[in-house]
């Protein structure tokens, strides 16, 4: 199975992105996904070029200022960054699209 790179992003790249990463670890484990996870701030995230960026909805306008190749990186916006239910609902179709979840 392909290993997917997922980057969790917040303003400083320390607190909320790490909390989101921890919540997503449980979801990914439940789905049986082999993933490389990391967390970062917004300005650094664009240069990393992961398969998926997961961030809070309130950062959407800031991401729109950056050039992110949608063929390479899918951005998932969350209303509640620690909601395992929301993470699972939004990441499942993206994982299927990227061929890591059948």
């Amino acid at each position: 199975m392909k290993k997917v790179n997922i980057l969790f992003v917040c303003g400083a790249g320390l607190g909320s992105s790490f909390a989101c990463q921890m919540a997503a670890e449980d979801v990914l484990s439940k789905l049986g996904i082999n993933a490389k996870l990391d967390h970062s701030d917004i300005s650094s995230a664009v240069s990393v070029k992961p398969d998926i960026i997961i961030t809070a909805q309130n950062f959407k306008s800031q991401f729109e200022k950056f050039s992110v190749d949608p063929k390479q990186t899918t951005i998932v916006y969350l209303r509640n960054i620690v909601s395992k239910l929301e993470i699972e609902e939004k990441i499942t179709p993206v994982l299927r699209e990227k061929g890591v979840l059948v």
Side-chain angles (χ1 to χ4, degrees), residues 1-100:
M1 180 182 289
K2 178 183 172 188
K3 188 172 191 174
V4 64
N5 291 318
I6 303 175
L7 186 64
F8 299 85
V9 178
C10 68
L14 299 171
S16 55
S17 59
F18 186 58
C20 184
Q21 178 180 333
M22 292 185 350
E25 284 174 354
D26 290 340
V27 173
L28 295 166
S29 178
K30 175 184 166 187
L31 297 172
I33 300 299
N34 184 15
K36 177 183 180 288
L37 308 178
D38 203 357
H39 55 279
S40 174
D41 63 283
I42 292 175
S43 58
S44 301
V46 178
S47 63
V48 175
K49 300 179 181 176
D51 298 308
I52 301 169
I53 289 175
I54 298 180
T55 189
Q57 183 71 39
N58 58 313
F59 291 122
K60 186 173 184 175
S61 63
Q62 291 175 274
F63 269 102
E64 289 172 348
K65 297 175 186 172
F66 293 106
S67 175
V68 177
D69 182 359
K71 293 178 185 170
Q72 181 177 13
T73 302
T74 302
I75 302 177
V76 175
Y77 296 102
L78 301 173
R79 283 189 218 124
N80 180 346
I81 60 167
V82 293
S83 168
K84 293 176 186 176
L85 179 62
E86 183 179 6
I87 292 169
E88 184 172 350
E89 285 176 354
K90 292 188 174 176
I91 200 169
T92 297
V94 175
L95 293 170
R96 286 195 176 114
E97 178 182 301
K98 294 198 175 277
V100 292

